[in-house]
Amino acid sequence: MNYSTTIRTLLVALAAVGLLGLTACDQTIDKDPEQSLPIDQVFQDVAGAQSALTGAYSGLQADGVYGGFQTMAGDFTADIANFDGSFTTWQQAAAFNVSSTHGPTENIWADHYDVINRANLIIENVPNLEGADQGQIDDLVGQAKFIRALSYFNLVRWFGEPYEPGASNDQPGVILQTDGVQSTDPDFNQPRASVGDIYEQIRTDLEDAIGRLDVKAERIRAGQAVANALLAKVSLYQGRYDEARNRADSVITNPNFELSEDPTVPYANESNPEIIFSTSFSSIDNSGTNAFMSSFYLPSDFGGRGDITANSQFLSDAESGDRRATATTGLGLSGDNPGPEIKGDNLLYSYGDAGGAPAAWTNKWTNPNFGDDMPVLRVAEMYLIRAEAEARSSSGSESQARQDVNAIRNRAGLGDVSSSLSGQALIDEIIQQRRYELAFEGDRRHDLQRLGRPIASSSATAQPGASQRILPIPARAIEVNDALDQSSQNPGY
């Protein structure tokens, strides 16, 4: 692929070690390649390779990955949240009216390929490190393969039609790039790989990572259990229910992780053992007040933009007493008294921003310095993956599925489901629990897409088969890639 038009990948060696602080505004800046750090200097020793790995994790903080639009769009273009801000491109997304020159879409594409390239360079160069033992090589390569798999999983869900279990899955996915780009060599131009090929690469990377990594890792670094958790989710999307169940079970039973007793705890304490993997942010490395989640989800009186609140349908569809969908009132909050980061006892709180009518705001994104970590994988989702897999598999246990869904319901303040709940009704209940458990974490739109259900925002609905259910390949990506043309574009764009 020819990435010569973007600063992100023109200076790939510098980017690989995280020496470039890029934002969504850094789109098409021309730089002299001589400013790059030669790749053999980056990978001189283990310390340099570890710096490169840190740079790959830092890439996950980008606006188009886990630092902004991608995360929020998964909710405000679905039945979770409203976007009431002034950004035209975000309004277009909520209305399912984006084009191939849509800026946030371009960022999702470019930022993910930047991360993929950082991972590719590590995977290619680490095996040749002088002085590195096999354990060090496996750890570095395994983590890089997890990062690459995670990036492709995001990309194929945004830009490709859903994976169809039992089908050929030859529908166009995204570009499969597994070689590190060290120049603007046009030989890197490639066509779109199929959805099936992308999922196969994701599986290959995760299976290799599982074989290389230690069981335990830091919350913000990949270990064997982290890769297993992601592969459980990938397997669910592929309809490989027995594998999804088994891999989710391996995480649930891992003593390093546990389901919190209180649904607010994982957001009050980001080191909580419910968090399997998260992208780390601090007040100095977020993607900026015009992109980061806390900015949009915080009322303007508390230092945010106040642009995103809970959708009325999300609130009305919830069961009475659900702590994930009941806004705590009477907190006495004001611009002079914003309260603690977790405001009240529930995952929503009520507040009338700027003297307006009270609205329901999420407690998941409340750090006034925009330093909230992004939870990518949690134990609660493993319970719901195991439950759905048990309910759908021909060899599954509906009794186990009910136990798992009850664990999630109970800690949200809800009672058990009926002991006779089964079949499609049980599956629907599990999907409903996914809606409320993973709200404001960017998951809902992808769930509705994989299930073939209408995707309804507060302003429009994309029915099954509608072109805007997936994003367009950015026009610029087609323009600079000789292997792509307009026939490579997704239908309807």
Side-chain angles (χ1 to χ4, degrees):
M1 179 187 300
N2 186 341
Y3 292 107
S4 60
T5 60
T6 62
I7 188 172
R8 290 181 180 84
T9 45
L10 182 59
L11 301 181
V12 291
L14 280 174
V17 292
L19 298 179
L20 293 179
L22 302 174
T23 70
C25 298
D26 298 317
Q27 291 285 332
T28 56
I29 304 174
D30 291 326
K31 290 284 186 180
D32 185 345
E34 273 99 18
Q35 295 179 20
S36 303
L37 188 64
I39 205 70
D40 58 351
Q41 292 185 26
V42 175
F43 294 100
Q44 278 187 327
D45 52 27
V46 172
Q50 289 172 337
S51 295
L53 182 63
T54 298
Y57 280 109
S58 295
L60 298 176
Q61 298 172 335
D63 170 43
V65 189
Y66 289 115
F69 177 83
Q70 178 198 233
T71 298
M72 290 176 279
D75 288 313
F76 76 73
T77 66
D79 53 1
I80 302 294
N82 297 325
F83 175 73
D84 297 316
S86 60
F87 290 177
T88 301
T89 52
W90 293 46
Q91 295 169 353
Q92 291 167 343
F96 300 103
N97 186 32
V98 304
S99 70
S100 61
T101 57
H102 184 248
T105 295
E106 293 175 336
N107 288 338
I108 292 175
W109 181 274
D111 288 345
H112 277 87
Y113 276 111
D114 174 44
V115 175
I116 288 167
N117 193 56
R118 298 181 190 203
N120 286 343
L121 290 169
I122 295 167
I123 293 165
E124 284 182 2
N125 288 278
V126 162
N128 300 317
L129 280 180
E130 291 187 10
D133 61 38
Q134 192 59 46
Q136 292 171 317
I137 291 171
D138 284 344
D139 183 58
L140 290 162
V141 171
Q143 291 190 62
K145 288 198 171 185
F146 167 81
I147 292 169
R148 184 167 71 181
L150 178 62
S151 300
Y152 271 121
F153 186 50
N154 289 338
L155 281 174
V156 75
R157 291 184 297 162
W158 278 113
F159 294 97
E161 294 289 351
Y163 188 95
E164 299 177 27
S168 63
N169 288 291
D170 55 2
Q171 63 270 35
V174 292
I175 294 166
L176 183 56
Q177 180 70 36
T178 57
D179 296 325
V181 179
Q182 301 179 36
S183 70
T184 58
D185 189 337
D187 289 343
F188 286 103
N189 290 329
Q190 293 188 43
R192 296 172 68 180
S194 69
V195 166
D197 286 344
I198 297 298
Y199 269 91
E200 184 59 33
Q201 183 63 53
I202 293 168
R203 296 191 63 83
T204 297
D205 278 347
L206 290 175
E207 288 167 354
D208 188 63
I210 289 166
R212 290 175 180 270
L213 294 172
D214 289 335
V215 174
K216 190 177 186 300
E218 298 177 56
R219 173 183 50 83
I220 57 174
R221 293 281 178 132
Q224 188 181 97
V226 175
N228 260 319
L230 181 56
L231 191 48
K233 187 166 186 173
V234 170
S235 297
L236 182 72
Y237 271 70
Q238 291 187 286
R240 300 172 67 141
Y241 300 122
D242 290 345
E243 180 174 0
R245 173 192 62 210
N246 294 339
R247 291 194 182 276
D249 182 72
S250 74
V251 179
I252 292 168
T253 57
N254 186 314
N256 295 307
F257 304 104
E258 65 181 11
L259 184 68
S260 301
E261 294 182 359
D262 187 312
T264 66
V265 167
Y267 312 98
N269 175 13
E270 293 174 335
S271 298
N272 185 273
E274 179 168 330
I275 304 296
I276 302 168
F277 176 75
S278 61
T279 297
S280 177
F281 289 94
S282 71
S283 60
I284 60 173
D285 63 8
N286 64 57
S287 51
T289 56
N290 283 337
F292 194 65
M293 284 78 73
S294 302
S295 176
F296 285 83
Y297 285 120
L298 266 178
S300 61
D301 287 352
F302 302 163
R305 296 181 57 89
D307 285 347
I308 304 180
T309 54
N311 184 301
S312 61
Q313 195 69 44
F314 175 78
L315 299 174
S316 63
D317 287 349
E319 291 183 54
S320 176
D322 191 333
R323 294 181 61 192
R324 302 163 302 183
T326 301
T328 304
T329 60
L331 296 174
L333 302 176
S334 68
D336 295 327
N337 176 33
E341 283 197 38
I342 300 297
K343 308 174 196 308
D345 297 327
N346 298 331
L347 280 172
L348 294 176
Y349 63 96
S350 179
Y351 182 71
D353 192 26
W361 305 81
T362 180
N363 259 323
K364 292 187 177 182
W365 301 102
T366 56
N367 187 311
N369 296 314
F370 313 137
D372 292 297
D373 288 355
M374 166 62 202
V376 178
L377 295 164
R378 290 193 290 118
V379 172
E381 185 175 11
M382 295 300 107
Y383 274 82
L384 293 171
I385 288 173
R386 188 171 69 178
E388 186 175 345
E390 293 281 14
R392 291 186 184 275
S393 173
S394 59
S395 63
S397 165
E398 290 189 332
S399 175
Q400 180 64 58
R402 288 190 292 269
Q403 289 180 44
D404 286 342
V405 81
N406 283 338
I408 301 303
R409 288 176 58 87
N410 292 167
R411 77 146 183 189
L414 303 176
D416 289 352
V417 298
S418 168
S419 60
S420 63
L421 189 67
S422 62
Q424 187 60 47
L426 175 56
I427 292 171
D428 288 344
E429 167 63 22
I430 295 165
I431 300 305
Q432 182 77 334
Q433 291 308 310
R434 286 186 63 88
R435 178 186 182 188
Y436 286 92
E437 185 60 37
L438 302 177
F440 307 103
E441 295 178 30
D443 192 79
R444 179 62 170 171
R445 175 168 171 159
H446 299 303
D447 248 3
L448 294 171
Q449 174 73 330
R450 78 173 170 94
L451 296 165
R453 299 182 180 184
I455 304 173
S457 71
S458 59
S459 57
T461 299
Q463 295 291 346
S467 60
Q468 294 258 340
R469 289 173 70 92
I470 58 175
L471 296 178
I473 305 302
R476 191 65 176 163
I478 294 175
E479 180 183 338
V480 301
N481 187 339
D482 293 340
L484 300 180
D485 56 28
Q486 187 55 36
S487 68
S488 310
Q489 183 58 273
N490 284 327
Y493 293 104

